Amino acid sequence: MQTADLKMSEKEKKILDAAIGVISEKGFSAASTSEIARQAGVAEGTIFRYFKTKKDILRGILMHLGNVIAELLVVYGLKKILFHEGHEDLRSGIKGVLKDRMAMIDAVFPMLRIVITEAMYHEDIRQILYDKIISRAVEVFAEYHREMVDKGLMKGEIDAVVAGRSILANLVLFFVYRNLFGPMIELDDYDRELDQVIDAIMHGIAMPENCDKK
Amino acid sequence: MQTADLKMSEKEKKILDAAIGVISEKGFSAASTSEIARQAGVAEGTIFRYFKTKKDILRGILMHLGNVIAELLVVYGLKKILFHEGHEDLRSGIKGVLKDRMAMIDAVFPMLRIVITEAMYHEDIRQILYDKIISRAVEVFAEYHREMVDKGLMKGEIDAVVAGRSILANLVLFFVYRNLFGPMIELDDYDRELDQVIDAIMHGIAMPENCDKK
DNA sequence: TTGTTGAGTGAGTAATCACTCATTTTTTGG
DNA sequence: CCAAAAAATGAGTGATTACTCACTCAACAA
């Protein structure tokens, strides 16, 4: 995963990339500016020309994730997959999203890990995360949800937020289970498990009680 | 949330409680042993009589969560609620679990935050987490799942792991959304939203396509 | 009383931290 | 080609870190 913001010098990119690598490995507090500098191939002083404080590096990573990735991950990606790729029915739409998002998460995992960790501890980071990514994602999904409800493919009684969260939630835990706890579990076949996850998202884990609408 | 393991001196308990508080506030690396000592009301040297290194304090917290809380949180609680409290039908069973677990998560959130954060970065912590808590939770839920499938209340096609994960996933994101991002969102009515979450878990977010079994 | 023990202490230690700044190197404009 | 400006450097700074250890002192036994 490369950083590639527009107004950014070569050195700044190198520093940010190195920072993402080091911080994602050891956590923000345990990552030292000296190691980031070494990893980036610059002097320690150079870091502080581009980022006034260490915390500003973190903000830089957040902004980067917000600006570049969110655009790719949320707006462009979701819209394209949900609306324009010939997935008319809900199931293949969701399956497309999940598979695509799964690969995405893999690619941006270092950055995500940093942001998620820091968001758990600092309200200001949470606020940026919400403004830059979550609110936009909710917006896009709400549009999709409205459309699906109109088509009679999704339940109107369940709000967009809850529905979207259900998809995200299952996706995240699926990822965590496989990628973080994978080594200590004998894993099921990937596609089979993903199909079950989609079933759970779409139709739930309970037996359908009856067929007449309540 | 008090620590209360059996073989533990008064001082050790105080240190562990203080450590949970401080580490949960600032994260493991940013938490200093000097502050933990101050918070516990002991000398800094005393800490190292009970815990050889700072990382041993973390292990102490993990063990504490594993031994004392996991029993309460997962095994005892789940079994009681799922099997013995007159919730014969699936819906009220799940609702009971969710509400109960929600309050629990609130209570042990400081400890959970520490463990989750460190588990994201360290395989050894993840291994302990899996052995002490996750594997046990999976075991208990699998038993419940089998019973529910036999009764015709839960789908047999969806594995216990996927089903359990779906419940946990929705629960976790519901909690995160409300407790971490709550301040920056105008929140829906709690019970109404919880009902929707349960609906999503039980019957999914898609419209049921047809009524004949495939 | 005297001697022994061990929990508890807190000043001390070397290492490391984020950050600064005087200096050097590179780039730029005429 | 040169001087001015900008960028990059890395030794240096005070603060802080996890951890040590010589010590205190209350409790108990002889």
Side-chain angles (χ1 to χ4, degrees):
Chain A
M1 179 50 50
Q2 297 253 359
T3 61
D5 277 338
L6 294 172
K7 287 288 166 200
M8 225 186 229
S9 78
E10 203 60 38
K11 283 263 155 70
E12 194 173 355
K13 276 190 242 174
K14 279 198 168 187
I15 292 170
L16 212 54
D17 276 336
I20 290 169
V22 175
I23 296 176
S24 180
E25 277 301 310
K26 338 229 300 190
F28 179 72
S29 289
S32 66
T33 50
S34 68
E35 190 174 347
I36 292 172
R38 197 175 343 111
Q39 197 74 223
V42 302
E44 202 172 345
T46 309
I47 288 180
F48 294 94
R49 295 194 73 78
Y50 293 99
F51 304 94
K52 269 168 60 184
T53 66
K54 192 188 171 191
K55 182 144 194 178
D56 277 330
I57 303 176
L58 186 62
R59 270 189 275 267
I61 293 174
L62 241 178
M63 290 305 176
H64 182 59
L65 189 70
N67 291 335
V68 181
I69 307 300
E71 210 65 33
L72 231 85
L73 190 73
V74 176
V75 183
Y76 170 75
L78 248 186
K79 270 200 173 136
K80 184 161 185 194
I81 285 163
L82 295 180
F83 295 128
H84 306 302
E85 284 198 342
H87 300 122
E88 285 309 313
D89 68 307
L90 190 60
R91 164 172 276 277
S92 69
I94 290 180
K95 186 156 189 174
V97 173
L98 290 203
K99 283 206 149 180
D100 183 82
R101 239 84 312 225
M102 218 62 186
M104 274 298 193
I105 288 183
D106 231 9
V108 299
F109 181 65
M111 254 187 284
L112 275 183
R113 173 155 65 178
I114 296 169
V115 171
I116 289 171
T117 304
E118 296 311 312
M120 290 214 299
Y121 289 92
H122 307 291
E123 168 104 40
D124 56 330
I125 301 294
R126 226 144 51 211
Q127 184 69 55
I128 300 176
L129 176 64
Y130 180 78
D131 293 340
K132 287 266 168 193
I133 301 178
I134 297 177
S135 66
R136 279 201 264 173
V138 167
E139 212 174 284
V140 174
F141 184 80
E143 191 184 337
Y144 170 70
H145 180 258
R146 205 179 313 118
E147 196 160 311
M148 282 300 165
V149 170
D150 286 346
K151 282 187 187 164
L153 293 172
M154 258 180 174
K155 291 173 184 168
E157 315 95 74
I158 297 180
D159 288 347
V161 168
V162 175
R165 220 168 47 199
S166 180
I167 297 174
L168 180 66
N170 277 283
L171 175 65
V172 167
L173 279 223
F174 180 48
F175 179 87
V176 167
Y177 194 75
R178 294 219 145 230
N179 291 54
L180 259 38
F181 293 98
M184 48 200 88
I185 305 166
E186 73 293 4
L187 288 172
D188 206 355
D189 173 66
Y190 187 91
D191 267 308
R192 192 183 112 85
E193 193 176 340
L194 185 57
D195 269 327
Q196 287 191 16
V197 171
I198 294 170
D199 260 340
I201 293 171
M202 290 182 66
H203 304 115
I205 63 174
M207 274 303 215
E209 290 128 348
N210 46 36
C211 283
D212 41 71
K213 296 281 166 62
K214 59 168 171 230
Chain B
M1 179 50 51
Q2 296 253 358
T3 60
D5 278 339
L6 294 172
K7 286 288 167 202
M8 225 186 229
S9 78
E10 203 59 39
K11 284 266 154 68
E12 195 173 355
K13 274 191 244 176
K14 279 198 168 186
I15 292 170
L16 212 54
D17 276 335
I20 291 170
V22 175
I23 297 176
S24 180
E25 277 301 311
K26 339 226 302 188
F28 179 73
S29 289
S32 66
T33 49
S34 68
E35 190 174 347
I36 293 172
R38 197 175 342 113
Q39 197 74 223
V42 302
E44 201 172 345
T46 309
I47 288 181
F48 293 95
R49 295 194 77 76
Y50 292 98
F51 304 94
K52 270 168 59 184
T53 67
K54 191 188 170 191
K55 182 144 194 180
D56 275 331
I57 303 177
L58 187 62
R59 270 189 275 266
I61 293 173
L62 242 178
M63 290 305 176
H64 182 59
L65 189 71
N67 292 334
V68 182
I69 307 301
E71 210 66 33
L72 231 86
L73 187 72
V74 178
V75 182
Y76 170 76
L78 250 185
K79 268 197 174 139
K80 183 162 186 193
I81 287 164
L82 296 180
F83 294 129
H84 306 302
E85 284 198 343
H87 300 122
E88 285 309 314
D89 69 304
L90 190 62
R91 165 171 275 277
S92 68
I94 290 179
K95 186 157 190 175
V97 173
L98 290 203
K99 282 205 150 181
D100 183 81
R101 241 64 337 208
M102 217 64 186
M104 277 291 193
I105 287 182
D106 231 8
V108 299
F109 182 65
M111 252 186 289
L112 275 184
R113 173 155 65 178
I114 296 169
V115 171
I116 289 171
T117 304
E118 297 311 312
M120 290 215 300
Y121 289 92
H122 307 292
E123 168 105 40
D124 56 332
I125 302 292
R126 226 143 52 210
Q127 185 69 55
I128 301 175
L129 177 64
Y130 181 77
D131 293 340
K132 288 267 168 192
I133 301 177
I134 296 177
S135 65
R136 280 202 265 171
V138 167
E139 211 174 283
V140 174
F141 184 79
E143 191 185 339
Y144 169 71
H145 180 257
R146 206 179 313 118
E147 195 161 312
M148 283 300 165
V149 170
D150 286 347
K151 282 187 188 164
L153 293 173
M154 257 181 175
K155 292 173 184 167
E157 315 95 74
I158 296 180
D159 288 346
V161 167
V162 175
R165 220 168 47 199
S166 180
I167 297 175
L168 181 65
N170 277 283
L171 175 65
V172 166
L173 255 70
F174 180 48
F175 179 86
V176 167
Y177 194 74
R178 293 220 147 229
N179 291 55
L180 259 39
F181 293 98
M184 48 201 86
I185 304 165
E186 73 293 3
L187 289 172
D188 206 354
D189 173 67
Y190 187 91
D191 267 307
R192 192 183 111 86
E193 194 176 339
L194 186 57
D195 270 326
Q196 288 191 16
V197 171
I198 293 170
D199 260 339
I201 292 171
M202 290 181 65
H203 303 115
I205 64 174
M207 274 302 213
E209 290 128 347
N210 45 38
C211 282
D212 42 70
K213 297 280 165 63
K214 54 165 172 233

